Amino acid sequence: LSVWGFARDEEMYLVDRVVLYGSPSRPEVWKQLDEVLQNSYESEDGRKLNIEVCCVDSGGHHTQDVYSYARERASMGVIAIKGMNTKGKPPLGKPSKVDINYKGRAMKNGAQLFGVGVDGIKSLLFGRLKHNEAGPGCIHFYPTVETDYLQEVTSERQIMRYKNGFPESVWVKKSQRPNAGLDEMVYSYAALHR
């Protein structure tokens, strides 16, 4: 996971990168995430900064575990998300209720799922990476960030494909290189809109 800080005018700062070890089906992995969420970070001027929003991707094999965690930690700012590659989606969509009771109806206090407009966010962030001058929209990485992380952040590219005879741009991975760093940056930007 990546911890990103945002200043006014969407200036982004990579604050921390944490690796959680184990399977999301195991409670100890979620306890590791609890520890990260309860951690505070200190700014250069000595202020304590806390994590306000945490996006957890519900795609994959552990969807119900994510829903359960988000439901139980909603007061800590944890939300379940799902990336949407559809063009024109907002960075963070309106939530839909995903917990169903025994009658097949949405539970009032159940988990909510937020759609993330990943296509638009990637286009925005890649544009900012290309023209990264200090000031509004600038993306800052701490000096000791590892090359592997930067390769993850830049692991995709936008290409033009034809669907039913019409051109459309899509994001594809450049190689088998992991893209977790990019996903984390995209989801952090979505968290800003929460």
Side-chain angles (χ1 to χ4, degrees):
L1 65 92
S2 294
V3 177
W4 284 89
F6 289 87
R8 297 187 198 282
D9 300 322
E10 297 186 2
E11 202 164 351
M12 297 175 64
Y13 295 84
L14 178 62
V15 175
D16 198 5
R17 181 84 193 279
V18 180
V19 177
L20 304 179
Y21 294 97
S23 168
S25 65
R26 307 292 303 165
E28 56 269 16
V29 174
W30 297 105
K31 287 179 184 173
Q32 291 176 49
L33 180 53
D34 282 341
E35 290 173 13
V36 173
L37 294 176
Q38 294 166 1
N39 188 25
S40 63
Y41 295 89
E42 190 173 322
S43 67
E44 288 181 358
D45 62 0
R47 290 180 294 136
K48 294 279 185 196
L49 305 173
N50 297 316
I51 296 173
E52 293 182 18
V53 179
C54 172
C55 292
V56 183
D57 189 358
S58 67
H61 302 293
H62 302 283
T63 304
Q64 293 304 319
D65 295 310
V66 172
Y67 292 166
S68 176
Y69 187 80
R71 180 186 334 99
E72 294 167 7
R73 309 284 189 303
S75 64
M76 295 173 63
V78 176
I79 60 173
I81 59 165
K82 177 89 171 116
M84 313 295 275
N85 286 323
T86 310
K87 301 270 187 253
K89 289 280 185 189
L92 190 68
K94 292 182 179 178
S96 60
K97 295 185 183 229
V98 290
D99 275 341
I100 307 296
N101 66 15
Y102 70 95
K103 294 181 181 179
R105 294 190 180 131
M107 292 171 56
K108 192 177 210 177
N109 295 322
Q112 296 181 323
L113 179 65
F114 292 79
V116 175
V118 296
D119 187 73
I121 296 174
K122 285 179 185 178
S123 296
L124 175 80
L125 296 177
F126 268 79
R128 290 180 178 180
L129 284 170
K130 287 180 184 176
H131 306 288
N132 205 12
E133 298 173 9
C138 182
I139 301 173
H140 302 271
F141 297 93
Y142 53 80
T144 58
V145 70
E146 296 179 11
T147 304
D148 290 348
Y149 180 74
L150 296 174
Q151 289 176 344
E152 287 182 23
V153 167
T154 59
S155 63
E156 294 185 17
R157 64 188 173 104
Q158 197 170 30
I159 63 167
M160 192 65 66
R161 286 193 180 154
Y162 287 88
K163 184 175 181 179
N164 299 329
F166 294 97
E168 72 173 357
S169 60
V170 293
W171 289 93
V172 295
K173 287 178 68 172
K174 293 179 185 176
S175 65
Q176 295 302 320
R177 183 182 308 144
N179 63 345
L182 176 59
D183 286 346
E184 294 161 12
M185 189 167 70
V186 166
Y187 297 155
S188 293
Y189 185 81
L192 172 67
H193 290 268
R194 177 74 172 134

Short mmCIF file of all heavy atoms in Angstrom, two decimals, residues 154-187:
data_model
loop_
_atom_site.label_atom_id
_atom_site.label_comp_id
_atom_site.label_asym_id
_atom_site.label_seq_id
_atom_site.Cartn_x
_atom_site.Cartn_y
_atom_site.Cartn_z
N THR A 154 4.86 3.60 -13.48
CA THR A 154 4.86 3.85 -14.93
C THR A 154 4.75 2.56 -15.74
O THR A 154 5.21 2.49 -16.88
CB THR A 154 6.15 4.60 -15.34
OG1 THR A 154 7.29 3.81 -14.96
CG2 THR A 154 6.23 5.96 -14.67
N SER A 155 4.10 1.54 -15.17
CA SER A 155 4.05 0.21 -15.79
C SER A 155 2.99 0.08 -16.89
O SER A 155 2.90 -0.96 -17.52
CB SER A 155 3.79 -0.85 -14.72
OG SER A 155 2.52 -0.61 -14.14
N GLU A 156 2.19 1.11 -17.12
CA GLU A 156 1.16 1.04 -18.15
C GLU A 156 1.33 2.17 -19.15
O GLU A 156 2.01 3.16 -18.88
CB GLU A 156 -0.24 1.12 -17.51
CG GLU A 156 -0.57 -0.06 -16.63
CD GLU A 156 -1.99 -0.04 -16.10
OE1 GLU A 156 -2.83 0.72 -16.64
OE2 GLU A 156 -2.26 -0.76 -15.13
N ARG A 157 0.73 1.97 -20.29
CA ARG A 157 0.72 3.02 -21.32
C ARG A 157 -0.64 3.00 -22.00
O ARG A 157 -1.35 2.00 -21.98
CB ARG A 157 1.84 2.84 -22.32
CG ARG A 157 1.75 1.58 -23.13
CD ARG A 157 3.02 1.38 -23.97
NE ARG A 157 2.97 0.08 -24.61
CZ ARG A 157 2.70 -0.10 -25.89
NH1 ARG A 157 2.49 0.93 -26.68
NH2 ARG A 157 2.66 -1.31 -26.40
N GLN A 158 -0.96 4.12 -22.59
CA GLN A 158 -2.25 4.24 -23.29
C GLN A 158 -2.03 3.98 -24.77
O GLN A 158 -1.12 4.55 -25.38
CB GLN A 158 -2.81 5.65 -23.06
CG GLN A 158 -4.26 5.77 -23.37
CD GLN A 158 -4.82 7.12 -22.90
OE1 GLN A 158 -4.11 8.11 -22.87
NE2 GLN A 158 -6.09 7.14 -22.56
N ILE A 159 -2.84 3.09 -25.33
CA ILE A 159 -2.74 2.78 -26.75
C ILE A 159 -4.11 2.96 -27.41
O ILE A 159 -5.13 3.03 -26.73
CB ILE A 159 -2.22 1.34 -27.01
CG1 ILE A 159 -3.20 0.30 -26.45
CG2 ILE A 159 -0.83 1.15 -26.43
CD1 ILE A 159 -2.93 -1.11 -26.92
N MET A 160 -4.10 3.01 -28.74
CA MET A 160 -5.34 3.14 -29.51
C MET A 160 -5.70 1.77 -30.07
O MET A 160 -4.88 1.11 -30.69
CB MET A 160 -5.14 4.16 -30.64
CG MET A 160 -6.42 4.58 -31.29
SD MET A 160 -7.53 5.49 -30.21
CE MET A 160 -6.61 6.97 -29.91
N ARG A 161 -6.93 1.34 -29.81
CA ARG A 161 -7.45 0.10 -30.36
C ARG A 161 -8.73 0.43 -31.11
O ARG A 161 -9.35 1.46 -30.88
CB ARG A 161 -7.77 -0.91 -29.26
CG ARG A 161 -6.56 -1.52 -28.63
CD ARG A 161 -6.97 -2.71 -27.79
NE ARG A 161 -5.79 -3.30 -27.19
CZ ARG A 161 -5.78 -3.98 -26.08
NH1 ARG A 161 -6.90 -4.18 -25.43
NH2 ARG A 161 -4.67 -4.50 -25.60
N TYR A 162 -9.13 -0.50 -31.96
CA TYR A 162 -10.38 -0.31 -32.69
C TYR A 162 -11.41 -1.32 -32.19
O TYR A 162 -11.13 -2.50 -32.09
CB TYR A 162 -10.16 -0.48 -34.20
CG TYR A 162 -9.43 0.70 -34.77
CD1 TYR A 162 -8.04 0.75 -34.79
CD2 TYR A 162 -10.14 1.80 -35.27
CE1 TYR A 162 -7.37 1.85 -35.28
CE2 TYR A 162 -9.47 2.90 -35.76
CZ TYR A 162 -8.10 2.92 -35.77
OH TYR A 162 -7.44 4.02 -36.26
N LYS A 163 -12.59 -0.80 -31.85
CA LYS A 163 -13.68 -1.65 -31.39
C LYS A 163 -14.88 -1.33 -32.26
O LYS A 163 -15.33 -0.19 -32.32
CB LYS A 163 -13.98 -1.35 -29.91
CG LYS A 163 -15.03 -2.26 -29.32
CD LYS A 163 -15.20 -1.98 -27.83
CE LYS A 163 -16.24 -2.92 -27.25
NZ LYS A 163 -16.38 -2.69 -25.81
N ASN A 164 -15.38 -2.35 -32.96
CA ASN A 164 -16.50 -2.17 -33.89
C ASN A 164 -16.21 -1.09 -34.93
O ASN A 164 -17.08 -0.32 -35.30
CB ASN A 164 -17.80 -1.85 -33.14
CG ASN A 164 -18.20 -2.97 -32.20
OD1 ASN A 164 -17.94 -4.13 -32.46
ND2 ASN A 164 -18.84 -2.61 -31.10
N GLY A 165 -14.95 -1.00 -35.32
CA GLY A 165 -14.55 -0.03 -36.35
C GLY A 165 -14.27 1.36 -35.84
O GLY A 165 -13.92 2.25 -36.61
N PHE A 166 -14.39 1.57 -34.54
CA PHE A 166 -14.16 2.90 -33.97
C PHE A 166 -12.92 2.88 -33.08
O PHE A 166 -12.73 1.93 -32.31
CB PHE A 166 -15.38 3.36 -33.16
CG PHE A 166 -16.60 3.57 -33.99
CD1 PHE A 166 -17.57 2.58 -34.09
CD2 PHE A 166 -16.79 4.76 -34.68
CE1 PHE A 166 -18.70 2.76 -34.86
CE2 PHE A 166 -17.92 4.96 -35.44
CZ PHE A 166 -18.88 3.96 -35.55
N PRO A 167 -12.11 3.92 -33.15
CA PRO A 167 -10.91 3.96 -32.29
C PRO A 167 -11.28 4.28 -30.84
O PRO A 167 -12.20 5.05 -30.58
CB PRO A 167 -10.08 5.08 -32.90
CG PRO A 167 -11.07 5.98 -33.55
CD PRO A 167 -12.19 5.10 -34.03
N GLU A 168 -10.59 3.62 -29.93
CA GLU A 168 -10.74 3.94 -28.51
C GLU A 168 -9.39 3.78 -27.84
O GLU A 168 -8.60 2.89 -28.20
CB GLU A 168 -11.80 3.07 -27.84
CG GLU A 168 -11.40 1.64 -27.62
CD GLU A 168 -12.41 0.86 -26.79
OE1 GLU A 168 -13.41 1.43 -26.32
OE2 GLU A 168 -12.19 -0.33 -26.61
N SER A 169 -9.10 4.66 -26.89
CA SER A 169 -7.84 4.54 -26.17
C SER A 169 -8.05 3.69 -24.93
O SER A 169 -9.07 3.80 -24.24
CB SER A 169 -7.30 5.93 -25.79
OG SER A 169 -8.23 6.59 -24.97
N VAL A 170 -7.09 2.80 -24.68
CA VAL A 170 -7.15 1.91 -23.52
C VAL A 170 -5.78 1.86 -22.85
O VAL A 170 -4.76 2.08 -23.49
CB VAL A 170 -7.58 0.47 -23.91
CG1 VAL A 170 -9.01 0.44 -24.40
CG2 VAL A 170 -6.65 -0.13 -24.93
N TRP A 171 -5.78 1.58 -21.56
CA TRP A 171 -4.55 1.44 -20.80
C TRP A 171 -4.15 -0.02 -20.76
O TRP A 171 -4.98 -0.89 -20.46
CB TRP A 171 -4.74 1.98 -19.38
CG TRP A 171 -4.84 3.47 -19.35
CD1 TRP A 171 -5.97 4.22 -19.40
CD2 TRP A 171 -3.75 4.39 -19.31
NE1 TRP A 171 -5.66 5.55 -19.38
CE2 TRP A 171 -4.30 5.69 -19.33
CE3 TRP A 171 -2.37 4.25 -19.27
CZ2 TRP A 171 -3.52 6.83 -19.30
CZ3 TRP A 171 -1.58 5.38 -19.23
CH2 TRP A 171 -2.15 6.65 -19.24
N VAL A 172 -2.89 -0.32 -21.09
CA VAL A 172 -2.38 -1.69 -21.07
C VAL A 172 -1.04 -1.70 -20.35
O VAL A 172 -0.30 -0.71 -20.34
CB VAL A 172 -2.21 -2.27 -22.49
CG1 VAL A 172 -3.55 -2.41 -23.19
CG2 VAL A 172 -1.25 -1.45 -23.32
N LYS A 173 -0.74 -2.85 -19.75
CA LYS A 173 0.56 -3.01 -19.09
C LYS A 173 1.65 -3.10 -20.15
O LYS A 173 1.45 -3.71 -21.20
CB LYS A 173 0.57 -4.25 -18.21
CG LYS A 173 -0.25 -4.08 -16.93
CD LYS A 173 -0.28 -5.33 -16.09
CE LYS A 173 1.07 -5.64 -15.50
NZ LYS A 173 1.03 -6.74 -14.54
N LYS A 174 2.80 -2.52 -19.87
CA LYS A 174 3.93 -2.56 -20.80
C LYS A 174 4.57 -3.94 -20.85
O LYS A 174 5.09 -4.35 -21.87
CB LYS A 174 4.99 -1.54 -20.39
CG LYS A 174 4.56 -0.10 -20.52
CD LYS A 174 5.69 0.80 -20.04
CE LYS A 174 5.27 2.26 -20.03
NZ LYS A 174 6.33 3.13 -19.49
N SER A 175 4.57 -4.64 -19.72
CA SER A 175 5.19 -5.96 -19.64
C SER A 175 4.55 -6.70 -18.48
O SER A 175 3.49 -6.32 -17.99
CB SER A 175 6.70 -5.81 -19.42
OG SER A 175 6.94 -5.21 -18.15
N GLN A 176 5.21 -7.72 -18.01
CA GLN A 176 4.71 -8.47 -16.85
C GLN A 176 5.05 -7.78 -15.53
O GLN A 176 4.76 -8.30 -14.47
CB GLN A 176 5.28 -9.89 -16.86
CG GLN A 176 4.81 -10.71 -18.04
CD GLN A 176 3.30 -10.82 -18.09
OE1 GLN A 176 2.64 -10.97 -17.07
NE2 GLN A 176 2.72 -10.72 -19.27
N ARG A 177 5.64 -6.60 -15.61
CA ARG A 177 6.00 -5.84 -14.42
C ARG A 177 4.75 -5.54 -13.58
O ARG A 177 3.71 -5.21 -14.12
CB ARG A 177 6.67 -4.54 -14.86
CG ARG A 177 7.17 -3.69 -13.72
CD ARG A 177 7.79 -2.41 -14.21
NE ARG A 177 8.80 -2.65 -15.21
CZ ARG A 177 9.01 -1.84 -16.25
NH1 ARG A 177 8.28 -0.76 -16.42
NH2 ARG A 177 9.95 -2.12 -17.12
N PRO A 178 4.84 -5.63 -12.26
CA PRO A 178 3.68 -5.30 -11.41
C PRO A 178 3.26 -3.84 -11.60
O PRO A 178 4.08 -2.98 -11.88
CB PRO A 178 4.20 -5.52 -9.98
CG PRO A 178 5.46 -6.30 -10.11
CD PRO A 178 6.00 -6.04 -11.47
N ASN A 179 1.97 -3.59 -11.42
CA ASN A 179 1.46 -2.22 -11.54
C ASN A 179 0.80 -1.75 -10.24
O ASN A 179 -0.01 -0.83 -10.24
CB ASN A 179 0.49 -2.10 -12.72
CG ASN A 179 -0.75 -2.96 -12.55
OD1 ASN A 179 -0.80 -3.85 -11.71
ND2 ASN A 179 -1.75 -2.69 -13.36
N ALA A 180 1.15 -2.38 -9.13
CA ALA A 180 0.53 -2.04 -7.84
C ALA A 180 0.76 -0.57 -7.49
O ALA A 180 -0.15 0.10 -7.00
CB ALA A 180 1.07 -2.94 -6.74
N GLY A 181 1.94 -0.05 -7.73
CA GLY A 181 2.23 1.35 -7.41
C GLY A 181 1.30 2.31 -8.14
O GLY A 181 0.84 3.30 -7.57
N LEU A 182 1.01 2.01 -9.40
CA LEU A 182 0.09 2.84 -10.18
C LEU A 182 -1.32 2.75 -9.62
O LEU A 182 -1.99 3.76 -9.43
CB LEU A 182 0.11 2.43 -11.66
CG LEU A 182 -0.88 3.15 -12.57
CD1 LEU A 182 -0.66 4.66 -12.56
CD2 LEU A 182 -0.78 2.60 -13.99
N ASP A 183 -1.78 1.53 -9.34
CA ASP A 183 -3.11 1.36 -8.76
C ASP A 183 -3.23 2.13 -7.44
O ASP A 183 -4.24 2.80 -7.20
CB ASP A 183 -3.41 -0.12 -8.51
CG ASP A 183 -3.70 -0.90 -9.79
OD1 ASP A 183 -3.94 -0.26 -10.84
OD2 ASP A 183 -3.70 -2.14 -9.72
N GLU A 184 -2.21 2.04 -6.61
CA GLU A 184 -2.23 2.73 -5.32
C GLU A 184 -2.31 4.25 -5.50
O GLU A 184 -3.03 4.93 -4.77
CB GLU A 184 -1.00 2.35 -4.51
CG GLU A 184 -0.99 0.88 -4.11
CD GLU A 184 0.38 0.36 -3.72
OE1 GLU A 184 1.33 1.18 -3.54
OE2 GLU A 184 0.54 -0.86 -3.61
N MET A 185 -1.58 4.77 -6.47
CA MET A 185 -1.60 6.21 -6.73
C MET A 185 -2.98 6.63 -7.25
O MET A 185 -3.53 7.66 -6.84
CB MET A 185 -0.51 6.60 -7.73
CG MET A 185 -0.33 8.09 -7.89
SD MET A 185 1.18 8.57 -8.76
CE MET A 185 0.84 8.04 -10.42
N VAL A 186 -3.56 5.83 -8.15
CA VAL A 186 -4.89 6.12 -8.69
C VAL A 186 -5.94 6.10 -7.57
O VAL A 186 -6.77 6.99 -7.46
CB VAL A 186 -5.24 5.12 -9.81
CG1 VAL A 186 -6.72 5.17 -10.17
CG2 VAL A 186 -4.38 5.38 -11.05
N TYR A 187 -5.88 5.07 -6.73
CA TYR A 187 -6.86 4.95 -5.66
C TYR A 187 -6.69 6.06 -4.62
O TYR A 187 -7.67 6.50 -4.02
CB TYR A 187 -6.81 3.57 -5.02
CG TYR A 187 -7.17 2.45 -5.98
CD1 TYR A 187 -6.70 1.16 -5.78
CD2 TYR A 187 -7.96 2.69 -7.09
CE1 TYR A 187 -7.02 0.13 -6.66
CE2 TYR A 187 -8.29 1.67 -7.97
CZ TYR A 187 -7.82 0.40 -7.75
OH TYR A 187 -8.14 -0.61 -8.61
#
